[in-house]
Amino acid sequence: MRAFVLLALFAGPAMAADYPQPPSVVFGDLYRAVELGQVFPDQKTFADAIPTSAPATILAAYHAARAKPDFDLKAFVAAHFREPVRKTVSYHRRPGETVQQYISDLWQLLQRKPDENEGTSSLLPLPAPYIVPGGRFSEIYYWDTYFTMLGLEQDGKTALAADMVRNIASLISRYGHMPNGNRSYYLSRSQPPFFSCMVDLLARQAGTGVYATELPQMRAEYDFWMEGAAALKPGQAHRRVVRLADGTVLNRFWDDRDTPRDESYREDVLTAGATNRPAAEVFRDLRAGAESGWDYSTRWLTDGKTLTTVHTTDLLPIDLNSELFHLESDLAYAYGLSGNAAEATIFADRAATRAAAIRRLMWDAAAGDFTDYDWRARRQTHVVSAATVVPLFFHVATADEATAVAATVTAKLLAPGGVRTTTLVTGQQWDAPNGWAPLQWMAIQGFARYGQTALAQTIAKRWERRVEAGFAADGVLVEKYDVQAPPGQAAQGGEYALQVGFGWTNGVQAALMAAYPESKPATAPAP
C-alpha cells in the first residue's frame, strides 16, 4: 500500500479524449495476442505496423477467425497489416572514408521527408523534414533531437536543425507537450525536456527573436510538467509534480498510462509477472523510466539490480529538475525580452527556488555528488551516476560542488573510453560499462563551464577515440559504447539489439571533433 496520497482528480484530464489511441488500445486482444505470441522478433514492429483496412473491420475478422482450428495468427497479421519501412542504415562506405565524412553523408540517410498521414497507423505526422536516430527508431525522439542538432549545426545544416525545432513545436502545439516520439503510443509520456536547449541553439544562429517565436511552446511545456502543482498539499503528488512535507515543489517522471508499453509489450508483461507488486504499479514505473530516457538504470531500482524493483515514480531526479531549472530560466529571459517584466520575475524566482532545492535535497556532501531524492522515503538514493554532471551543465551547482563532482567522476565514473553511466554492472543498458553520447557532452560542457578544463578535455578525447576505434573496426557509429572494455567490444544490455546510425552519437562526435580535434582522423575499414 502506498504511504502517501496520490491525487486522481485535478483540473484538466491526464490524457485528452481526442488524442490518437495507441495500437494496444485500438486492437485490444488482437494486439495482446500478437505481442505475447512473438509474431515479430521486435515488439516495436507491430506497434508501428500499418493496418490495411479499418480497425473495426480487422477486429471483426479476427474474432470470427481465431476460434477456427486452422487459424494462423502470423498469416492473419500479414494479411491485414503492412510492416513499417525501417529504412535501416545501409551505407556503402567510400575507400578511406573518415568519421567526419561518414557523419556528413549519413544525415541524408537518416533524414525523413514531411510525413504523409498513414491513416490508422501509430505515426503522428510532422510538417517538416527531420532526422531519426536510426535502426528500429524510425521517428523523431525528443531529447535525441538536441544532441543531433549539435552535429547538424556543425555541418552547416542549420535549416534542417530549425526544421527539427519546428516539428517539436508543432507537436507541443498539437498535444500540449512533446511526446517521447511522434507515435500515438508515446503520447502518454514525454522525455527529458530539452526544447528550451534547442531554442538556445537556434537563437545562436537566428538571433534572440527565436525566444519570442517559441515562447508559447516553452510555456505550454512548462505547464504540462507542472500540471496540478497549485492544488497539491504537502506530501501529495499528481502526475509529474510532487509537493514535499515542507512545501517544496519538484518534479518526477511519470506516464499517464499504467499498462504494458506498446513497443515493449511482452517484456513489460513478463516483468510485472515476476513480482508480487500490483501489475499497474509496475507498468507505470516502467513507463516513467522510459520517459526518463534512461530505460533502464540502477537509478530506478530499489535493490539496485533487479528490474522488478523499478520505482521511478518515487524519485525526484537530478537531471529532470535541472532541465526544468533551465526551462524556467529561459522563460524568465524570453518574457523579459518580450517586455513582460512580471512574468520574467516570476520565472526567475521559480528557477532560483528550484536550484536551491536541488542543492539542498540532492547534493550529497559526504560523497561529493548529486543524487536522486526518494520523496516517499525522504532520503537520497546515493546511487552514483553520470546524472551528477547535469547540474553543472545547466549551471545549478556551486563552484565548490563542481570541484567535488569533478573528483567523484574522476575516481568513480571515468573509464578508458569516457564516462560510464553508473558504477554498477546490472545488464541494464543505462548502467556500467556503457557510455552514452549525451552524457559525455553534458559532462564535458559542464566541467568546462566550471573551469575543470583538463577533465573536460580528458573525457572528450577518450570518448572521441572510443567512437573512432569502433568506426575503424566496423565502419559505423552506434547508439552506445562499452567504455571499459578494449575498443571493438560492442556495448550490451537493454531490451533490443545495439542500433546503428546513430543520431545523437553522430551529433556529439561532430561537435567534439570541432572543439577537440585529433591530429589523425580514423578511417573506416575496407568494404
Side-chain angles (χ1 to χ4, degrees):
M1 183 66 70
R2 293 291 196 184
F4 290 78
V5 176
L6 293 179
L7 299 188
L9 298 175
F10 278 76
M15 286 287 291
D18 58 351
Y19 278 10
Q21 294 297 304
S24 60
V25 172
V26 173
F27 292 103
D29 52 356
L30 169 60
Y31 194 89
R32 181 177 179 86
V34 170
E35 297 294 45
L36 295 186
Q38 295 181 276
V39 170
F40 300 102
D42 186 335
Q43 300 272 289
K44 194 174 184 301
T45 303
F46 193 50
D48 297 350
I50 303 168
T52 56
S53 56
T57 301
I58 294 174
L59 280 172
Y62 170 67
H63 293 144
R66 65 178 174 177
K68 297 179 180 179
D70 60 346
F71 177 68
D72 184 327
L73 180 59
K74 187 172 184 178
F76 180 88
V77 170
H80 292 87
F81 294 86
R82 286 189 289 113
E83 288 191 35
V85 178
R86 283 290 181 234
K87 299 179 182 177
T88 52
V89 176
S90 178
Y91 184 65
H92 299 290
R93 299 184 301 273
R94 290 178 281 166
E97 184 176 44
T98 65
V99 176
Q100 292 97 323
Q101 291 166 338
Y102 169 86
I103 292 171
S104 294
D105 290 347
L106 209 64
W107 295 132
Q108 184 63 36
L109 288 179
L110 295 177
Q111 183 173 333
R112 301 293 178 264
K113 296 178 181 179
D115 294 313
E116 296 180 4
N117 196 319
E118 292 180 341
T120 53
S121 87
S122 61
L123 188 69
L124 305 175
L126 296 176
Y130 58 99
I131 298 292
V132 303
R136 75 198 290 263
F137 302 113
S138 57
E139 49 279 308
I140 201 170
Y141 282 81
Y142 187 7
W143 74 315
D144 295 60
T145 298
Y146 171 74
F147 301 98
T148 299
M149 283 175 62
L150 295 173
L152 292 175
E153 294 208 334
Q154 184 59 46
D155 276 358
K157 297 183 180 297
T158 53
L160 184 53
D163 282 336
M164 299 281 275
V165 174
R166 178 185 166 196
N167 282 321
I168 289 180
S170 76
L171 288 167
I172 294 174
S173 297
R174 216 182 311 171
Y175 302 112
H177 69 286
M178 172 60 197
N180 187 152
N182 61 314
R183 292 281 177 184
S184 60
Y185 53 81
Y186 287 146
L187 274 170
S188 58
R189 64 176 182 266
S190 186
Q191 259 194 340
F194 269 80
F195 183 67
S196 56
C197 298
M198 299 175 206
V199 173
D200 289 348
L201 270 184
L202 200 55
R204 290 198 319 220
Q205 299 290 331
T208 57
V210 172
Y211 290 99
T213 301
E214 305 301 344
L215 176 55
Q217 285 72 34
M218 288 196 292
R219 181 58 188 266
E221 173 161 73
Y222 183 76
D223 291 344
F224 165 80
W225 284 95
M226 299 305 295
E227 193 268 314
L232 284 175
K233 296 178 181 179
Q236 290 183 331
H238 172 65
R239 298 182 76 201
R240 293 161 177 82
V241 190
V242 177
R243 187 178 294 276
L244 301 178
D246 67 356
T248 300
V249 175
L250 289 169
N251 291 80
R252 63 176 177 176
F253 291 113
W254 180 256
D255 190 301
D256 293 318
R257 295 190 184 277
D258 60 1
T259 54
R261 291 169 295 153
D262 287 53
E263 74 280 13
S264 300
Y265 196 96
R266 184 173 182 271
E267 288 89 343
D268 287 359
V269 169
L270 292 176
T271 298
T275 176
N276 292 324
R277 298 169 58 193
E281 181 182 291
V282 177
F283 295 146
R284 179 93 72 190
D285 281 319
L286 288 168
R287 284 173 167 270
E291 182 171 82
S292 79
W294 290 49
D295 43 346
Y296 292 97
S297 169
T298 190
R299 288 178 68 190
W300 317 132
L301 310 181
T302 302
D303 69 354
K305 59 183 179 181
T306 312
L307 191 57
T308 54
T309 69
V310 62
H311 69 135
T312 322
T313 57
D314 293 344
L315 304 175
L316 305 178
I318 315 155
D319 39 5
L320 172 60
N321 283 284
S322 297
E323 290 147 9
L324 289 171
F325 161 82
H326 182 269
L327 176 55
E328 288 165 338
S329 300
D330 260 22
L331 282 167
Y333 180 66
Y335 277 120
L337 288 176
S338 70
N340 191 334
E343 286 295 304
T345 298
I346 287 171
F347 278 96
D349 289 345
R350 289 181 182 178
T353 299
R354 188 184 295 271
I358 291 169
R359 293 193 295 267
R360 184 176 71 253
L361 295 169
M362 300 176 186
W363 175 246
D364 184 344
D369 70 349
F370 289 93
T371 182
D372 303 317
Y373 186 80
D374 187 325
W375 68 275
R376 296 187 188 279
R378 302 185 184 187
R379 60 174 176 78
Q380 296 171 350
T381 64
H382 302 296
V383 174
V384 179
S385 79
T388 192
V389 306
V390 181
L392 280 66
F393 180 70
F394 288 110
H395 232 126
V396 174
T398 66
D400 288 343
E401 289 165 352
T403 300
V405 168
T408 299
V409 167
T410 300
K412 297 182 179 180
L413 294 174
L414 188 61
V419 174
R420 61 175 68 90
T421 309
T422 66
T423 60
L424 300 177
V425 178
T426 64
Q428 299 302 330
Q429 64 175 348
W430 287 86
D431 279 327
N434 291 342
W436 294 79
L439 302 182
Q440 313 302 315
W441 180 258
M442 287 191 282
I444 293 160
Q445 294 295 304
F447 288 128
R449 288 171 185 175
Y450 283 84
Q452 299 286 337
T453 53
L455 180 55
Q457 185 173 47
T458 295
I459 296 169
K461 291 293 188 180
R462 292 188 183 190
W463 177 258
E464 279 186 77
R465 290 166 184 161
R466 180 50 51 93
V467 173
E468 289 173 350
F471 179 75
D474 303 322
V476 295
L477 269 60
V478 294
E479 63 175 331
K480 59 182 179 282
Y481 290 84
D482 184 330
V483 295
Q484 293 179 191
Q489 180 168 318
Q492 304 291 326
E495 300 173 327
Y496 53 82
L498 184 66
Q499 299 297 296
V500 171
F502 193 85
W504 65 18
T505 305
N506 299 0
V508 168
Q509 189 72 1
L512 288 179
M513 287 188 299
Y516 302 92
E518 288 284 349
S519 58
K520 183 180 179 181
T523 58

